[in-house]
Amino acid sequence: MIDGIYRVEAKRLADEITETGSYNIEKYPHITGVFTADDGELYSSDEHYLIIEVNDTLYRMEYTIDDKQHGILIINCVLCAILLMMVGLLLYIYRYIITPFGRLNDVPQELARGNLAVPIPEEKSRFLGRFTWGINLLRESIEDSRKKEITMQRDKKLLLLSLSHDIKTPLSAIKLNAKALSKGLYKDEEKRRSAAESINARADEIEGFVSEITKAASEDFMSFTVVMGEEFLSRIVTRISARYTPQLAMSGTEFIIQKYDDCILSCDPDRLAECLQNLIENAMKYGDGKRIELSFDKMDGCALITVSNTGCTLETKELPQIFESFHRGNNADKVQGNGLGLFICKRLMSLMGGEVYAHIRDECFCATLVVKLA
């Protein structure tokens, strides 16, 4: 393609030759040479040229292409290529990320409403494949928990109804013997003694039934799954630090992680991290917000991880009960909670073959996890 500026200069040069019979090539910056057939090079040239006829004479006017125009053309080509790439990327994102994600918009709401039969479309996308797989696992877990809860509630209700019915028989005997004794119907000392023994025996029966009811009511209402494995202590500490260091810094609480020797723990990494999180959350709730500290020790093939917080107001006599379900200490009056955090720690550590205990030192509450070394 010949740019218009070269044609304009060539036309002006041709007009000058027509009028004067001569020309001044210096006035035309893009024209580099003018040749005729007499020069023997009218058509044989590797330069850019333009053939113009003036007064029956053919002139070959050579010209140069502006480098700036070339640069602009290259820039335009690059920008077009980038634009095409962006359009392609946006189409890819829309097709493989936004559209599949849009099909999952209603799933969380349906699960929250209790509709566990909501269809979850399978996605082969590497971006959403694991996500949909996780949602399916969550749905199955909720459904299993619901079934277990329904079964447990039904069994407990049947047990309570059965025990309630069984209690009526000894209770009737007690009432009958007690009424007879109160009215003096038994004149013989032996009969009175027999009636009293009968009352005592029936009371023992009722006491046994009450024990069964208490046991049924205190049975584990939470089921825990532990997958044992091995994990470096440093990776557990890194997870905890990444989660709580920014949060505690914002609240003005000093968070100290003491030095420790890295080691391999025999545990469920996720469950152990959950135990530490429960202890730190407990320290945040019931401490004075000045300092929370993680310290470490080793003893008898176990790693000891201690979470301590300042501002403990718990009484020492309450320490034996703090790991029971729904127990809340005298320092929990103004703090929301359900009394399950330390209970969960106790259960999880027991399932992992470890232990958890607590003590009070220098007005600091200290809770220690005992984890077996691999």
Side-chain angles (χ1 to χ4, degrees):
M1 293 290 294
I2 300 174
D3 197 282
I5 190 170
Y6 309 125
R7 290 185 177 276
V8 171
E9 291 187 1
K11 181 64 170 63
R12 288 171 54 200
L13 181 56
D15 292 341
E16 183 178 347
I17 294 173
T18 301
E19 293 176 1
T20 63
S22 62
Y23 59 90
N24 182 6
I25 198 172
E26 294 179 356
K27 296 191 300 182
Y28 308 100
H30 294 91
I31 304 298
T32 59
V34 179
F35 302 93
T36 64
D38 296 337
D39 298 320
E41 298 180 355
L42 185 60
Y43 299 104
S44 59
S45 175
D46 294 332
E47 300 294 331
H48 298 284
Y49 63 90
L50 179 64
I51 303 296
I52 293 181
E53 183 178 358
V54 180
N55 295 332
D56 298 327
T57 302
L58 296 176
Y59 290 89
R60 176 170 56 82
M61 299 181 183
E62 295 183 353
Y63 61 88
T64 59
I65 297 178
D66 196 338
D67 291 337
K68 292 182 179 178
Q69 298 294 328
H70 269 294
I72 294 174
L73 180 62
I74 292 173
I75 291 174
N76 287 335
C77 291
V78 171
L79 291 176
C80 288
I82 294 175
L83 179 61
L84 290 175
M85 291 176 61
M86 291 182 64
V87 170
L89 178 61
L90 291 174
L91 288 175
Y92 180 84
I93 292 174
Y94 178 79
R95 179 176 179 181
Y96 292 100
I97 298 180
I98 297 179
T99 300
F101 192 78
R103 291 195 287 264
L104 299 173
N105 276 344
D106 297 332
V107 172
Q109 295 179 3
E110 294 297 326
L111 291 179
R113 293 170 182 168
N115 180 17
L116 301 182
V118 57
I120 300 178
E122 294 288 341
E123 297 292 345
K124 296 182 179 179
S125 168
R126 59 181 179 143
F127 301 105
L128 292 177
R130 288 180 59 85
F131 177 76
T132 54
W133 176 73
I135 291 292
N136 269 314
L137 283 182
L138 175 62
R139 181 180 64 177
E140 292 174 2
S141 176
I142 295 174
E143 190 171 5
D144 289 343
S145 298
R146 177 183 287 181
K147 290 179 179 178
K148 289 179 181 178
E149 182 181 1
I150 292 174
T151 301
M152 183 178 65
Q153 294 296 336
R154 185 184 65 244
D155 292 344
K156 285 189 174 182
K157 183 173 289 187
L158 291 174
L159 176 62
L160 291 174
L161 290 174
S162 175
L163 291 175
S164 299
H165 180 269
D166 292 339
I167 286 175
K168 290 180 180 180
T169 301
L171 186 60
S172 297
I174 289 175
K175 291 175 66 177
L176 182 63
N177 285 303
K179 189 174 182 179
L181 288 173
S182 66
K183 291 186 176 183
L185 298 180
Y186 298 129
K187 304 297 182 181
D188 188 3
E189 181 68 23
E190 185 65 27
K191 287 185 178 182
R192 287 197 295 268
R193 185 183 303 109
S194 177
E197 290 176 353
S198 176
I199 291 175
N200 186 61
R202 302 291 83 76
D204 289 340
E205 285 186 43
I206 293 176
E207 186 178 10
F209 291 138
V210 171
S211 296
E212 289 188 44
I213 293 174
T214 304
K215 181 180 178 181
S218 62
E219 280 181 349
D220 294 337
F221 54 90
M222 301 176 70
S223 60
F224 301 96
T225 302
V226 169
V227 180
M228 293 298 293
E230 296 179 354
E231 183 61 284
F232 283 98
L233 173 61
S234 58
R235 296 190 63 176
I236 299 293
V237 175
T238 299
R239 288 175 60 178
I240 297 300
S241 176
R243 174 165 182 173
Y244 288 103
T245 298
Q247 181 179 351
L248 292 173
M250 290 181 64
S251 63
T253 302
E254 184 181 10
F255 188 40
I256 300 174
I257 300 178
Q258 298 287 0
K259 292 183 179 179
Y260 59 91
D261 295 327
D262 200 8
C263 55
I264 301 178
L265 306 176
S266 176
C267 63
D268 182 331
D270 294 330
R271 290 302 196 179
L272 181 58
E274 181 180 347
C275 289
L276 278 172
Q277 290 169 12
N278 282 341
L279 295 183
I280 293 177
E281 295 286 346
N282 196 65
M284 293 167 62
K285 284 183 180 180
Y286 302 108
D288 58 8
K290 294 182 178 179
R291 188 179 78 249
I292 296 176
E293 183 175 336
L294 259 65
S295 56
F296 308 87
D297 198 0
K298 290 182 182 178
M299 184 181 296
D300 298 333
C302 295
L304 277 62
I305 308 173
T306 300
V307 178
S308 58
N309 62 272
T310 56
C312 176
T313 58
L314 187 71
E315 297 181 6
T316 305
K317 64 181 181 180
E318 290 191 80
L319 287 177
Q321 289 84 38
I322 62 174
F323 293 102
E324 296 177 1
S325 59
F326 302 111
H327 176 82
R328 307 199 72 202
N330 62 355
N331 60 343
D333 293 340
K334 299 181 180 180
V335 181
Q336 292 184 351
N338 49 28
L340 291 176
L342 294 179
F343 168 75
I344 292 173
C345 284
K346 184 81 171 179
R347 287 301 317 277
L348 289 177
M349 292 306 301
S350 177
L351 292 173
M352 289 188 286
E355 186 56 81
V356 59
Y357 63 89
H359 63 279
I360 299 173
R361 181 181 65 230
D362 299 331
E363 296 185 355
C364 291
F365 179 81
C366 305
T368 300
L369 301 179
V370 181
V371 190
K372 290 184 177 180
L373 297 175

